[in-house]
Amino acid sequence: GGGGGDGAVEVDTEALMKEYETKMDKSVGMLDDSLRTIRAGKATPQLLDSIKVNAYESQLKLEEVATISVSDATTLMVNVFDETVVDAVLKAVQTADLGFTASQNGQSVKVSIPPLTKDKRVQYVKLAKDYCEKTKVAVRNVRQAAMKKIKGLKSDLSEDVARGMEKDIEAMVKKMNGDIDSAFKNKESELSSV
């Protein structure tokens, strides 16, 4: 059955659009995290973000067992709270495969960040580009899902509303791709200005 036009299902188009925007935002947010792990040759505490320390019978983040400070452009000092964990911290940095050298200095671990070679730099720019491409694919997938959903709702939406939603999705994609491109450009210039 079902009556005339008035009996149409009320579609919360705004919530739907918000959902797709959130999904796209999430992909771009993850990209920022990924790009942060690509180092530009300057010592920053974030370079050690990915390191996990085996301590107290579990895997802890470095910042949970130590404070990290910058001594100079190529050196980080990791000040460990508990001297029984110093060895574990040293080992964690050495085995993290980040290309840093670590040495113990009392209750601290000194981490030396080698300068970026030209090859490394090229490799990192390529890696950044890969991350950006993957993010674009993720955004495209959200776009596809959104368009499919709108198509499926067309019987419940007026043509104007459906067309408006499609336009909004395209605008979202355009904005996200712009953000992705500028994130890549920033990283590229950061890597080449070391």
Side-chain angles (χ1 to χ4, degrees):
D6 294 343
V9 188
E10 190 58 46
V11 180
D12 190 345
T13 55
E14 209 169 297
L16 209 55
M17 298 308 273
K18 196 92 204 108
E19 182 192 332
Y20 290 123
E21 188 172 16
T22 305
K23 280 183 177 156
M24 289 186 197
D25 270 338
K26 205 169 164 185
S27 298
V28 177
M30 280 162 69
L31 170 68
D32 288 338
D33 290 344
S34 300
L35 290 178
R36 232 190 323 252
T37 63
I38 302 178
R39 66 186 198 83
K42 273 199 297 285
T44 66
Q46 284 78 17
L47 293 177
L48 305 180
D49 274 357
S50 61
I51 293 179
K52 297 273 188 290
V53 181
N54 287 315
Y56 310 116
E57 294 176 19
S58 63
Q59 279 216 325
L60 300 171
K61 285 182 165 168
L62 192 54
E63 66 211 36
E64 294 178 274
V65 296
T67 55
I68 304 163
S69 54
V70 178
S71 316
D72 58 51
T74 59
T75 316
L76 294 171
M77 284 307 277
V78 181
N79 303 303
V80 187
F81 304 138
D82 177 351
E83 59 189 55
T84 63
V85 181
V86 176
D87 282 348
V89 169
L90 184 64
K91 195 171 171 203
V93 176
Q94 286 169 337
T95 56
D97 202 22
L98 293 168
F100 307 153
T101 46
S103 56
Q104 189 177 340
N105 188 346
Q107 206 168 317
S108 300
V109 172
K110 182 178 163 195
V111 182
S112 302
I113 314 293
L116 275 187
T117 60
K118 194 163 184 280
D119 288 349
K120 260 289 189 241
R121 208 168 285 168
V122 170
Q123 192 185 333
Y124 284 154
V125 169
K126 192 174 169 303
L127 185 61
K129 206 178 180 62
D130 281 350
Y131 284 146
C132 291
E133 285 310 317
K134 282 194 178 103
T135 307
K136 282 187 174 177
V137 170
V139 168
R140 246 195 329 268
N141 289 342
V142 176
R143 176 194 171 276
Q144 262 173 331
M147 291 307 193
K148 202 169 163 183
K149 180 82 175 168
I150 295 166
K151 207 173 184 164
L153 289 170
K154 276 194 172 158
S155 53
D156 299 325
L157 300 170
S158 75
E159 206 172 313
D160 284 352
V161 172
R163 200 175 295 130
M165 285 173 78
E166 286 172 348
K167 244 197 185 122
D168 287 348
I169 291 284
E170 295 296 4
M172 255 181 235
V173 171
K174 202 171 175 177
K175 180 191 172 295
M176 297 293 167
N177 282 340
D179 289 350
I180 293 168
D181 287 338
S182 65
F184 173 68
K185 282 202 172 67
N186 290 344
K187 195 70 196 183
E188 192 178 25
S189 64
E190 186 188 314
L191 286 166
S192 49
S193 68
V194 177

